[in-house]
Amino acid sequence: MASTTRITVTLPTELVEEIKRHTDNVSGYVAEAVARQIRRELLATELEQYQQEFGAFTEEELAEARAELGAGEARPGADAA
């Protein structure tokens, strides 16, 4: 089991109520959301660095990437960063 640290986070009441409608494990839900956001930020940084080195993506490359991401969303349990 991964180690954990207890922290206090303040969220809007409406958001907390919505989270509780989705899960009984608020901490796990929030941890998963934070991890997903960190992956997105890391990916954005990598993509930016790639484009600085090799140039902007072409429309064809972007279309291929969108198709791949769309295919990933169709799979149950898929997490496209």
Side-chain angles (χ1 to χ4, degrees), residues 1-22:
M1 178 178 205
S3 65
T4 60
T5 301
R6 184 182 208 72
I7 64 169
T8 300
V9 177
T10 303
L11 298 170
T13 301
E14 299 80 18
L15 186 56
V16 173
E17 291 169 356
E18 188 64 30
I19 292 170
K20 288 181 176 182
R21 279 195 276 277
H22 291 275

Side-chain angles (χ1 to χ4, degrees):
M1 178 178 205
S3 65
T4 60
T5 301
R6 184 182 208 72
I7 64 169
T8 300
V9 177
T10 303
L11 298 170
T13 301
E14 299 80 18
L15 186 56
V16 173
E17 291 169 356
E18 188 64 30
I19 292 170
K20 288 181 176 182
R21 279 195 276 277
H22 291 275
T23 184
D24 292 332
N25 183 358
V26 174
S27 292
Y29 192 92
V30 171
E32 183 180 320
V34 169
R36 187 170 37 253
Q37 181 63 30
I38 290 170
R39 286 191 305 271
R40 286 181 177 141
E41 290 173 6
L42 291 172
L43 177 58
T45 299
E46 290 292 322
L47 291 173
E48 184 178 315
Q49 289 173 350
Y50 180 92
Q51 289 186 89
Q52 287 175 356
E53 185 173 345
F54 299 104
F57 294 111
T58 65
E59 285 302 318
E60 182 179 315
E61 290 170 327
L62 292 171
E64 288 176 24
R66 286 184 188 106
E68 286 290 322
L69 290 173
E73 290 173 1
R75 292 190 316 263
D79 185 9

